[in-house]
Amino acid sequence: MSYEPKLAAALSGATLRQLSHWRRTSGSSGALLVPELSTSRPILYSFRDVVALRACVRLRQETSLQKIRRALNTLRDDLGEREHLSAYRLVAGPDTIYLADSDHAVDLLRSKGNVVIHELVDVLAPFYRDGRHIPDLLAPRPHVSVDPAVRGGEPVIQGTRIPASEVAALVRDGIPPDQISDFYPGVNADAARDAADFTDYVDSYTDSHPRQVAS
């Protein structure tokens, strides 16, 4: 499954403008995150990219983009780490960024002092950004799931392989949620409403600043 920028933004919490900016190099620094599947139109992100983007969004809430770029330069150039960014747990601390695991943490900005990490952030869990709720990556709605092992990570109705977008399209065409089961027997009314709601949320990412979706 590949994720176009709009869906990658909706699942990660980044704006489309940020995705565009983070794909580009900045001075001597490399790009923050280059899409794994396609860097030319159509631009396509992987599931691992979306996980990494969520980590970047969470870091950006705590520290500057300049520090994030410096930390990634240290990770790649000084430590020689070449795994996908989603493989690392990066944690913002006072005036620095740490590369953390269960046993220790490495200061990526060369700050002095003791390493104190109060909480390791779960980048898959829901969070708020600028007052907007960014859903759980693996369960963006109660009846919608995202699993790399199911249709490559395409959002589907939970417990099925039915794409949420196909169910949402029927609802948008005027089929009442309680009649969606006539087309997809495994989809009840609540699941149909969740599919439609999630698709509205994704479609709110139409420009640099996602618009609010009425609840």
Side-chain angles (χ1 to χ4, degrees), residues 32 34 41 45 47 50 66 69 75 90 92 110-111 118 135 156 178 183-184 196:
L32 199 67
V34 176
R41 296 187 183 279
Y45 291 86
F47 180 81
V50 173
Q66 181 183 26
R69 289 187 182 277
L75 182 71
L90 303 178
R110 305 291 190 254
S111 296
H118 298 287
V156 298
D178 59 0
F183 300 84
Y184 294 107

Side-chain angles (χ1 to χ4, degrees), residues 18-35 39 45 53 56 65 68-73 76-77 85:
Q18 283 179 316
L19 294 188
S20 176
H21 183 57
W22 292 353
R23 290 193 296 268
R24 300 194 298 267
T25 58
S26 176
S28 59
S29 299
L32 199 67
L33 190 138
V34 176
T39 57
Y45 291 86
L53 286 170
C56 290
L65 183 59
I68 296 173
R69 289 187 182 277
R70 285 175 53 204
L72 294 184
N73 286 343
R76 295 161 178 160
D77 299 338
L85 185 56

Side-chain angles (χ1 to χ4, degrees), residues 142-144 157-158 164 167 177 180 186-197:
H143 296 88
V144 176
I157 301 301
Q158 187 179 49
V167 174
I180 294 297
V187 180
N188 61 29
D190 288 339
R193 280 189 282 267
D194 274 358
D197 181 64

Side-chain angles (χ1 to χ4, degrees), residues 39-145:
T39 57
S40 59
R41 296 187 183 279
I43 294 169
L44 298 173
Y45 291 86
S46 69
F47 180 81
R48 297 196 304 176
D49 290 338
V50 173
V51 173
L53 286 170
R54 286 176 73 96
C56 290
V57 170
R58 297 300 298 267
L59 285 174
R60 189 64 186 86
Q61 290 181 304
E62 303 292 334
T63 191
S64 69
L65 183 59
Q66 181 183 26
K67 287 183 178 179
I68 296 173
R69 289 187 182 277
R70 285 175 53 204
L72 294 184
N73 286 343
T74 299
L75 182 71
R76 295 161 178 160
D77 299 338
D78 296 351
L79 300 183
E81 295 288 348
R82 291 292 183 267
E83 295 294 326
H84 191 276
L85 185 56
S86 62
Y88 304 104
R89 176 162 284 187
L90 303 178
V91 182
D95 300 319
T96 193
I97 295 174
Y98 299 107
L99 170 63
D101 61 27
S102 58
D103 298 321
H104 67 288
V106 177
D107 187 338
L108 295 177
L109 297 183
R110 305 291 190 254
S111 296
K112 296 180 180 180
N114 295 326
V115 175
V116 179
I117 299 177
H118 298 287
E119 180 181 3
L120 293 179
V121 174
D122 180 1
V123 298
L124 304 182
F127 62 96
Y128 282 88
R129 183 198 175 187
D130 298 330
R132 183 182 179 90
H133 181 261
I134 308 303
D136 186 291
L137 177 57
L138 302 183
R141 292 295 184 273
H143 296 88
V144 176
S145 63

Side-chain angles (χ1 to χ4, degrees), residues 138-182:
L138 302 183
R141 292 295 184 273
H143 296 88
V144 176
S145 63
V146 175
D147 182 346
V150 178
R151 299 185 70 94
E154 180 178 4
V156 298
I157 301 301
Q158 187 179 49
T160 76
R161 296 179 60 84
I162 301 170
S165 60
E166 293 186 7
V167 174
L170 290 175
V171 175
R172 287 180 169 183
D173 284 344
I175 306 299
D178 59 0
Q179 294 180 22
I180 294 297
S181 58
D182 294 342

